[in-house]
Amino acid sequence: MKAEHYVGGVFRSDGPSFPLIAPADGSELGTVPEATREVVDDAVTAAQRALRGSWGTSGTEERAAALRAVADGIQARFDEFVDAEVADTGRPREFARTVDVPRAIGNFRAYADLLYGRPERAYTTQVPGWSAGAGQALNYTVRRPLGVVAIISPWNLPLLLSTWKIAPALACGNAVVLKPSEETPSTATLLARVIAGAGLPDGAFNLVHGHGPAAAGEFLTGHPGVDAIAFTGESATGAAIMRNAADHVTPVSFELGGKNPALVFADADLDAAVDGTVRSSFTHSGQICLCTERVYVERPIFDEFVVRLGERASALDGYGPMISAAHRDKVLSYYRIAREEGATVVAGGGVPAFGDERDTGFHVEPTVLTGLPETARAVREEIFGPVCHVAPFDTEDEALALANDSPYGLASTLWTRDLSRAHRVAPRVETGIVWVNCWNLRDLRTPFGGVKASGIGREGGEYSLDFFSEPVNVCIQI
Ligand code: NAD
């Protein structure tokens, strides 16, 4: 798969480039063009032109049809998308087949469904009423697109997370400039090919590749022609983007990092809690923003839980690599820091030896730690690898205090059979999402996002449509 920019309906790869490395075995997959300031300018200009042209006056039915055509186009090239995502990320093929690509298709279908046939619900409300001092008036609200939307996406779920923003942005009639992660350019290029054949006017969707700081990401998010920024990635990157966007007061929607807690109460179904924690801590080798890195277990079941989780982690097989050598080194540095801070390593803690080509890839062992104080760096900072720290608690209030003592607030998981406890505790956990006796069970219409350093705003269903459109009040005096 050759990575290319897609600007104003034209594929191009002029200018400098950098190598794309396969995390599964360290081999070179190809090269990626690095968008210069000029390429980014061209993309923003093309997006503005699309908004002045037919895309700017398109109706909701037309846009819903375009989204369906994109969904069908991805479906038609399903295996190519799977191959590209597997090559760029090294993830198990099954994951790309059952999660990444179906969810990308689902993202386009979901927003087509939300628009199609009920534009009045998405776009206008009519409220007859009184205007103070000016007699009776009819007020109504029109929702109009924001304009040019910059979408900056991460490497961990490249296609799933970029389409999660592209679909609602296009649904609302915006023009999009996507900059995917420099680590994972391939499915974005394939998506541009699908969109090129789906009947959207040139410039409605543009793609530029490249790095973030002092490069394409920064050129785009600081561009005066960009009307809104939707970003998923690290909290520190979010802060940098916010500073860059401040000069133009560009609105932002941020999905950022996490240090997600799980609370396992003594009345939990222990089998389900262990199974669930294996999934929540180690799926995609912990490289999902929703993964659990802090597990708090009520003292009577603490020892048994730790033994069982450690056994399951040690027995894991077929997990994927870290995205890059740099990220592997970062995760391993946290394994070392945890030891220096006094952790007991219950499982893992190092680099696996497979005896095959995976040994030149970027794998680390699924790791279970105990014995650290809450002040330890390995307990406070997001590691973003297959690792969790398990600590005991004695009371519900203590569990809540431990869970909430974090700069982050993305997602949490409660394991309990006590219904009253679940309802009592859930609203008190300071995270944007609270799962009870499950993890990562997602309905695309529900609000998705984090509190504290984990984000600004919510995505999902009407929440995304709200961000990607501007309510305009029209007031007519009667
Ligand atoms: P990252 O912040 O390093 O990079 C994300 C994107 O931002 C990339 O495209 C990168 O090129 C770009 N970027 C970097 N610096 C930039 C700058 N100064 N200006 C503009 N763009 C810039 O994140 P990552 O390592 O790709 O992804 C992992 C992180 O993403 C983790 O922290 C994870 O928790 C978070 N994440 C959050 C969610 C969520 O929904 N909350 C989902 C997935 C990942």
Side-chain angles (χ1 to χ4, degrees), residues 152-157 161 164-165 179-183 210-221 231-238 240-241 244 254-258 260 287-290 323 327 330 382 384 408 410 448-450 454-455 459:
I152 311 276
S153 51
W155 49 259
N156 67 323
L157 295 161
L161 288 176
W164 179 233
K165 296 180 193 302
K179 194 210 76 68
S181 167
E182 57 277 17
E183 315 274 9
H211 290 77
E218 205 173 298
F219 303 153
L220 183 59
T221 51
F231 167 72
T232 299
E234 283 186 23
S235 300
T237 310
I241 289 176
N244 198 19
F254 280 173
E255 301 293 347
L256 307 177
N260 306 306
Q287 298 172 113
I288 298 179
C289 54
L290 307 166
I323 188 67
H327 190 53
K330 176 186 159 185
E382 183 185 46
F384 216 54
Y408 293 106
L410 186 53
F448 179 91
S454 290
E459 298 185 322

Side-chain angles (χ1 to χ4, degrees), residues 379-446:
V379 177
R380 295 203 70 75
E381 298 173 15
E382 183 185 46
I383 301 173
F384 216 54
V387 54
C388 63
H389 178 258
V390 194
F393 70 84
D394 291 301
T395 67
E396 196 174 288
D397 281 344
E398 185 194 0
L400 271 163
L402 290 164
N404 290 341
D405 181 17
S406 169
Y408 293 106
L410 186 53
S412 55
T413 304
L414 311 182
W415 298 95
T416 176
R417 277 192 280 216
D418 181 339
L419 197 59
S420 298
R421 187 201 297 280
H423 286 298
R424 195 167 56 234
V425 173
R428 293 179 64 200
V429 189
E430 295 168 1
T431 57
I433 304 155
V434 184
W435 279 295
V436 179
N437 297 327
C438 61
W439 174 75
N440 205 3
L441 193 56
R442 294 275 301 120
D443 179 324
L444 302 189
R445 295 163 298 186
T446 58

Side-chain angles (χ1 to χ4, degrees), residues 15 81 141 177 182 253 272 275 304 334-335 338 359 366 400 445 453:
F81 276 94
T141 306
V177 181
E182 57 277 17
S253 165
D275 271 353
E304 185 181 352
Y334 274 101
Y335 289 4
D359 289 342
L400 271 163
R445 295 163 298 186

Side-chain angles (χ1 to χ4, degrees), residues 250-322:
T250 314
V252 297
S253 165
F254 280 173
E255 301 293 347
L256 307 177
K259 188 75 184 175
N260 306 306
L263 304 185
V264 185
F265 291 93
D267 60 38
D269 174 338
L270 194 55
D271 291 339
V274 172
D275 271 353
T277 308
V278 169
R279 281 186 61 232
S280 73
S281 290
F282 304 123
T283 297
H284 192 17
S285 292
Q287 298 172 113
I288 298 179
C289 54
L290 307 166
C291 279
T292 305
E293 291 194 4
R294 298 182 293 144
V295 185
Y296 299 104
V297 183
E298 202 166 354
R299 202 172 299 272
I301 59 165
F302 176 77
D303 290 340
E304 185 181 352
F305 184 92
V306 169
V307 168
R308 289 177 63 175
L309 186 67
E311 285 170 0
R312 291 284 300 278
S314 302
L316 282 174
D317 196 11
Y319 49 88
M322 301 293 94

